Amino acid sequence: MKPGAMIIGTGSALPSRVLTNRDLEEMVDTSDEWIVQRTGIKERRIVGPGESNSKLAVEAAKKALEEARVSPEELDLIIVGTLTPDYLMPSVAVLVQKELGAVRAGAFDLSATCSGFLYGLSVADQYVRVAPERKILVIGSEVLSTKVNWEDRTTCVLFGDGAGAVVVTGSRDDRGVLSTHLHADGSLWHLLTLKGCGSLYPPCGKELPREEYFIRMQGREVFKNAVRAMETVALEALESNGVQPEDLALVIPHQANRRIIEALRERLGLPPEKVFVNLHKYGNTSAASIPIALDEAVREKRLSPGDLVLMVAFGGGFTWASALIRW
Ligand code: COA
């Protein structure tokens, strides 16, 4: 397929406070050994005073714009994938729009959990296929630490905060997004939830038990579904473009669990150096995980022009997605 959106700048932002597995040992009945063995996570970043979802998003966006040499006034659209906005109203996207001074841009948040960034990239891809001169900021930004039950050891060890951003415009050559594939299965919504504070259960705290105001997960079931869905949507991306796994220069998977990433790597038959992993530093940052990883891969010079990059995500809902890009 002809390429659509070309990524011309990336950026990321992380809170300065580090929460290690050792710190968690003081908070819940867990151990560094258990967390590393079962997840691969060693530490995560947590917002402190003065930090917020929109502030992280703005910081990541500024870096991406600078690298892209695009001014905020040139932006046509801002899309923020997030499940932890500062407020239910206004969106993070309009706070970013205001802070950047992106006076011409439309702005909206997109709710697709950990697949939010790839869903957002897919929307941007469609926009620039119609009008290649458009410039779009796609951000994944999360403050999951405010939605984690710090008394629940089965979830609180997994998540972290952060933001990643890309600027895209229409492809001028053979480089850019070759395809995106989006999927969802709402029949399994109950396996990963955050029920409280929506309109069904407003935040008076009376209708629901306390734990329902935080992320709840049936980890083993989520794990099995994540492995299956990520493999399937990765192969779908390759098959629809006539690409073999060995043609890939780099896979950037959603950073939820090292064992999920390993299963994907083995299914694709790739060596470890072709699969980007940074979850030991940040844990699962949901919609932010892929754009943070992409930004780090760029800064580590892991990508060269013409390389094939596969991004794969899975999250609550369930939602899952892939994007194949010629870099
Ligand atoms: N520290 C120590 N022990 C823990 C623990 C922790 N933080 N969390 C759970 N355990 C215990 C459990 O209570 C259980 O004990 P039991 O056997 O006495 O009942 C035991 O460890 C095994 O629990 P289990 O849930 O079967 O472990 P697991 O190997 O499935 O790993 C997850 C748990 C959460 C790491 C894993 O299921 C996972 O990563 N799931 C997917 C998570 C995910 O990706 N979510 C987001 C999708 S985007």
Side-chain angles (χ1 to χ4, degrees), residues 29-31 34-35 38-39 114 153-154 157-159 192 217 219-220 222-223 254 256-257 259-260 284 314-315:
D29 179 15
T30 191
S31 67
W34 191 96
I35 302 170
R38 300 291 179 113
T39 72
C114 305
R153 68 174 184 173
T154 68
V157 303
L158 303 174
F159 299 100
L192 182 47
M217 179 170 65
R220 219 175 291 181
V222 174
F223 186 96
H254 172 49
N257 184 311
R259 291 184 292 140
I260 297 174
N284 180 349
F314 177 86

Side-chain angles (χ1 to χ4, degrees), residues 17-309:
R17 185 174 162 213
V18 177
L19 188 74
T20 65
N21 291 350
R22 295 275 176 228
D23 296 329
L24 283 164
E25 286 176 358
E26 309 291 314
M27 297 161 66
V28 286
D29 179 15
T30 191
S31 67
D32 175 53
E33 192 193 357
W34 191 96
I35 302 170
V36 171
Q37 212 174 59
R38 300 291 179 113
T39 72
I41 299 164
K42 293 186 177 143
E43 56 189 43
R44 67 286 294 138
R45 300 295 185 91
I46 303 290
V47 291
E51 292 175 320
S52 67
N53 184 319
S54 62
K55 285 187 178 167
L56 291 168
V58 167
E59 192 184 330
K62 282 182 176 168
K63 291 178 187 166
L65 286 165
E66 194 183 320
E67 193 187 291
R69 296 183 189 187
V70 168
S71 69
E73 298 81 11
E74 290 177 79
L75 286 173
D76 294 284
L77 186 62
I78 299 170
I79 305 171
V80 180
T82 188
L83 65 98
T84 52
D86 292 4
Y87 316 109
L88 279 182
M89 182 170 70
S91 65
V92 175
V94 300
L95 297 174
V96 172
Q97 185 265 348
K98 169 196 149 276
E99 205 54 42
L100 293 176
V103 287
R104 287 182 48 247
F108 64 89
D109 286 3
L110 185 155
S111 174
T113 64
C114 305
S115 309
F117 174 75
L118 291 188
Y119 267 59
L121 184 64
S122 176
V123 173
D125 185 48
Q126 306 307 315
Y127 264 93
V128 298
R129 281 178 191 276
V130 178
E133 71 283 1
R134 284 175 177 152
K135 294 187 175 59
I136 303 179
L137 185 59
V138 184
I139 303 173
S141 186
E142 303 284 11
V143 176
L144 291 157
S145 59
T146 58
K147 298 294 177 188
V148 158
N149 181 354
W150 292 104
E151 292 168 9
D152 176 9
R153 68 174 184 173
T154 68
T155 52
C156 76
V157 303
L158 303 174
F159 299 100
D161 304 336
V166 299
V167 179
V168 306
T169 191
S171 174
R172 294 172 212 116
D173 46 34
D174 64 341
R175 297 165 57 201
V177 174
L178 300 176
S179 69
T180 55
H181 290 90
L182 311 183
H183 295 281
D185 184 356
S187 71
L188 298 173
W189 72 272
H190 55 281
L191 296 175
L192 182 47
T193 58
L194 205 185
K195 289 185 188 167
C197 297
S199 57
L200 198 53
Y201 298 107
C204 67
K206 284 187 186 141
E207 291 85 349
L208 281 174
R210 180 186 174 274
E211 60 268 23
E212 297 288 10
Y213 289 86
F214 301 101
I215 294 170
R216 296 194 74 194
M217 179 170 65
Q218 294 180 36
R220 219 175 291 181
E221 286 307 309
V222 174
F223 186 96
K224 281 191 271 184
N225 280 281
V227 168
R228 199 178 313 128
M230 286 177 74
E231 286 179 3
T232 310
V233 78
L235 294 174
E236 186 180 18
L238 298 184
E239 275 159 25
S240 70
N241 289 283
V243 167
Q244 300 303 315
E246 57 269 26
D247 299 332
L248 295 171
L250 195 64
V251 177
I252 302 185
H254 172 49
Q255 308 283 314
N257 184 311
R258 184 149 203 143
R259 291 184 292 140
I260 297 174
I261 295 174
E262 264 308 287
L264 178 67
R265 184 182 75 72
E266 277 172 23
R267 181 71 179 83
L268 295 176
L270 294 174
E273 64 272 16
K274 283 201 172 186
V275 180
F276 194 85
V277 179
N278 65 359
L279 92 169
H280 52 287
K281 296 188 285 185
Y282 309 130
N284 180 349
T285 57
S286 191
S289 98
I290 289 182
I292 292 172
L294 174 65
D295 185 49
E296 288 202 346
V298 169
R299 277 161 221 292
E300 290 172 19
K301 305 207 183 320
R302 300 273 295 269
L303 293 169
S304 305
D307 277 354
L308 281 172
V309 189

